[in-house]
Amino acid sequence: MIAALRRTPAALMVVTLAVGLAACWSTGTLFGVLAPLGALFLYARGYWLLPLWIGLLIAFAASALVALLYPGAIRDAALSLGAFVAVAACIGLLLWSDPSRSGRWPAAAQRREPGQQDGLGPVSEHSAIHPDDRPAIAQAAAYAFWTGVPQVTSYRLRQPDGSYHWTELRAEPGYGVSVDVDAMVSRPDDRWTVAESLGATVEAVKAAKVIESLHGKAWAFDAMGKFTYVTPAAQVAIDMALEDLNRRLGEREFIDGGEAGWMRGVHPDDVDRAASTLRHCLKTGEPWNIEYRMLRATGQYVWHRISARPTRDDEGRITGWFGTSIDIDVYKKTEAALRAREQHLEQLIDTVPAMIWSMTGAGHPVYLNRRMMEVTGATTETVTAPDGSLTLKKMIHPDFLDLAERTFAKSVMTGVPYAIKYLQRRADGSYRWTETRAEALRDEAGKIIRWYGVSVDIHDLITTQTELHLRKQELTRLVDLVPSFLWRLTPAGAPNFFNRRFIDFLGLDEGNHEQSQTEQYAAALKAALHPDDAGRVWAELHDCLNSGRPFAMRYRLRRHDGVYRWMDGRAEPLLDEDGSIIQWHGLSHDIDDQLRVEDALRESEQSLRQLVETLPALIYCAAPNGDPIYRSEKLREFLGFGLGDKDEDGSTRLAGTLEAIIHPDDLPDVKERYGRSLATGSPYAMKHRLRRADGAFRWVETRTAPMRNVEGEIVQWNGICFEIEDQVRAQEALTLTQERLARAAQAASLAELSASIAHEVNQPLAAVVANSHACQRWLTSDPPNLERAQKTVERIIRDANSAADVVGRVRALFRQTVEARSLCQLDTILYEARDLMSEEATRRRIRIEINVEAGLPPLALDRIQIQQVLVNLIRNGMEAMESAQRGALHIQTMRSGAFVRTEVRDMGEGIGAPDKVFEPFFSTKSNGMGMGLAISRTIVEAHGGRLWAENNEDGGATFLFTLPVEAKADHDR
Amino acid sequence: MIMDRSLSRRPIPLPVQRQAEAKQPLVIIVDDDASVQEALSELMLSAGFEAVSFSSTQALLETDALDWPGCLILDVRMPGSSGLDLQRHLTTTGNPKPIIFLTGHGDIPMTVQAMKAGAVDFLTKPVRDQTLLDAVNAAIGLDAARRAEAAKIKGYVERLQTLTPREREIMHEVTRGRLNKQIAFDLGISEVTVKLHRGNLMRKMEVASIGELIRAWEALPVRMRETNAA
């Protein structure tokens, strides 16, 4: 009835309207009038359906809700509405299953809704299929539905009478067709029975028409192969009429090997086979069954399965042929695709670099892929024990055999997946690490039907892993052994790794598992950081974490024993490819000892610097090329400028500085010597004048020495500059004083000498006199004391001799100086003597004139003694002219034979007795000793010369002395 | 004072055994020249003087020779401290020993300095015997007179110590030329008592007249006079 309704929408409308009115009438409410809405399903198409369904669902839900919430009349109304909605939904459901309407889903076979769990729609239809074919049909339907690949399959469909007929199902997206081929194409048992019966009773065309009624397409040809009938629709489909099909295309008839028109419609690759088999069949009467590609009017070749059967007359002669062609293009292509896929899969399984196998649920091996056989050399036979179960002995290293068998047995018994790593024996007898995994495939009841396993060669992996493990261990040891503290932070700054040393340093207790490692580390770090440093360290760390710049700081960390140690902490971010920070790797170095040393060094350097700065000296340092690189505070103060103040373009700092500070007179010398020192590396020392800040030049002594490194190269020049201005001045004053003193001493020496000699002589003389008096008294006393007088006389003799000795000693004094003589120019001595006396001469207003003959030979002289003689003579002359208070003293030196003669001529009053003046203690002067001339004569005579005096004719006296040119031995000795 | 000093010095080894005899004048010769020392000593001996010679002033100061009465013959120029230095030293220590200078060659400034400082004579070597002996005689005489004066003052001082305070007071008043009754009035005692005291003090001071008492008073060192006045 439903099918009838489906075909007539108008009738359906009427029925539904009637049902709606009946409901309306029965419930007594107006809701019934909504019944025709259900009819809308009849016309609803595509997207209309969904809103309709939703509307109904909402209505039903609302009515159910209302019925639950409100009692009484409202509940009744709601219930009635719900009932109505339910009815409408039922109708909708009924109609909606019509595939022509349900455009939303791809067409599924058999007007059934595919995709359901059982894969075949309504149970009634499902049950119509022969039980043996159900899984295949379900799979095909599901496959077609989910993949969109057309499926052609055959199955047996139960007929109303309970028998099964073969049906071929073709499912494609968009349509599906099911043809009952049982009558014609049957399985070996009953195939062709119908057709044969037909062929035996009716002629071919009739048979063809029967087929046509069944299949919609059929044809017939006579015994000679000429078409006698072709379904008109088929003629259209292949765009060939009977004439076209039968047209002879050559000399011979088809049966004789000629070509017929229909052959044009066959694919060139298939045409020869088709023609030859047909000819064979025509001749023998065997049924013609062939598959070839037929040209459609659309220009495409489509696979067809052609079946033809002969009709025979009563005598058994073939009267004609009838047949049909079934479009098996999709089937054929699917089959090809499947074959290709299967081949591909097989290739895949064989070529996949893994060993794949399977076994039954009981553990009997059934399949080994090629690779497995190749690799292990095993075949299904070798791995199968006599009782059919798996034996592993030949495949597994003895060490693992026990484990493998236990695991295998356990898996087979309990069904847990099998997984094991072991050393697998290979075809060449070697063992390699292999991992084998197997999973069980279960049927619907959960029974294991198959084990599928895969063995993967993990030898390299294991080896690498082992190596990696070793390397990791090594690395860990390294990280722990490295004498620094290594740590790692998350990008957020939480520590997630400390190396062993760090943990030991902090004294972390790792046994504490209540906290996570990160929390432990963070807490420990927080506690260990010195409170004074904590603020800046966290701030810096936070800043670094935010900005991503490397972290570097020094801070104190508390060691486990409570001692704070200085650390040098550094951390750098580890970046991934897009530059975001993955981790921070940090290193802390214990620099406490280093810092102490540095502190000590700094202090030492500080004190040294203070020392240098406070030393009362000017200190500087220069680069190996002489450019100043350091000046002490005192030097900067002295110069009034710093290092860089005299930098000018075009000249080096050295040159600029030197020109600025060195006295111009000293500059060339300083430059030359400093340059030489720089070039040779020899120490430099020099006295020069240095310009002070106020512009005054001060004498300084500069000393510079090179500082060399281990290789002996000059690293730096260190210099010191003493201010020696006062020293120089003092030296100058001293020199002046000494000169003056020497002059005075020389001038005074003879007078002093005289006084000394006088004292020496006077003492014994005084004693002699006193003793003489005493002696006289002793003799004149009454009675005369002769004894004492005698004693006194002895003393007189002794003292008188003593006086004589003094005189002898004086003479000896001037004789014993031959060793002191040296060759010198007399004029030089003369000028020196004049210089000595010049002051006195000026005071006395006396001019000293010297006239020296040129070319005098040098003489062997004691220059001091001769100088004394000259000084003495000059003074005598000046004293002689004292009364005049003016005048000149002429000194003349000339060669005179073997002697050099010197004259000292005064303009005084002359000498009374020129010979007497040379006697000791002769003096014309009131305060004179009378020794000067005597000594002078002694000196001159000691030199082998002569000293005498003459009175000038024009007044005054001349003292003359000669000295031998050839030094000769002292004749007195 | 002089006595005190002599205690610390070693006695001089005199050639003649006359140390025990009371204060014979002693001529002390200081000259660095040994022959001159000998000659002068000989001359002094021949003239009948006691003489002792030293080669330097230091050697002299180590002995008690200076405590003896007599005079000094000093060489001006000597190694170490000179004769003039010794003269200065003696002046500052209050020793009035008369000095005769003897020099090889002296000049006028040297002579003036020595004479101003109280030298008896300044002679040059070689010296005539009579000149030297005259000078020695004069010096010894001067020394004797000084010593006698000193002894007298010492006697006054010793006697003054025996006076009672009242007697000293009255002695002071008397030497000022005040009359007995004035003194009695000032001191609030009777004139008879003043006379009694006056008689006692005259006797104790061993003076026969007021004039002698006044001289004794004047001879007393200033210090003592002032303390008594108070």
Side-chain angles (χ1 to χ4, degrees), chain A residues 864-875:
Chain A
I864 300 295
Q865 287 184 3
I866 296 300
Q867 194 178 336
Q868 281 177 344
V869 169
L870 279 165
V871 166
N872 205 29
L873 293 181
I874 291 167
R875 181 176 286 136

Side-chain angles (χ1 to χ4, degrees), chain A residues 353-382:
Chain A
M355 292 161 273
I356 296 168
W357 49 268
S358 69
M359 60 184 185
T360 65
H364 295 196
V366 289
Y367 173 77
L368 301 177
N369 76 342
R370 200 168 66 218
R371 190 177 182 82
M372 183 151 191
M373 290 194 276
E374 280 171 10
V375 170
T376 63
T379 61
T380 320
E381 289 74 42
T382 59

Side-chain angles (χ1 to χ4, degrees), chain A residues 570-585:
Chain A
R570 284 163 193 284
E572 297 227 0
L574 178 70
L575 303 177
D576 65 5
E577 282 157 6
D578 25 303
S580 57
I581 296 166
I582 306 169
Q583 273 170 347
W584 285 81
H585 288 275

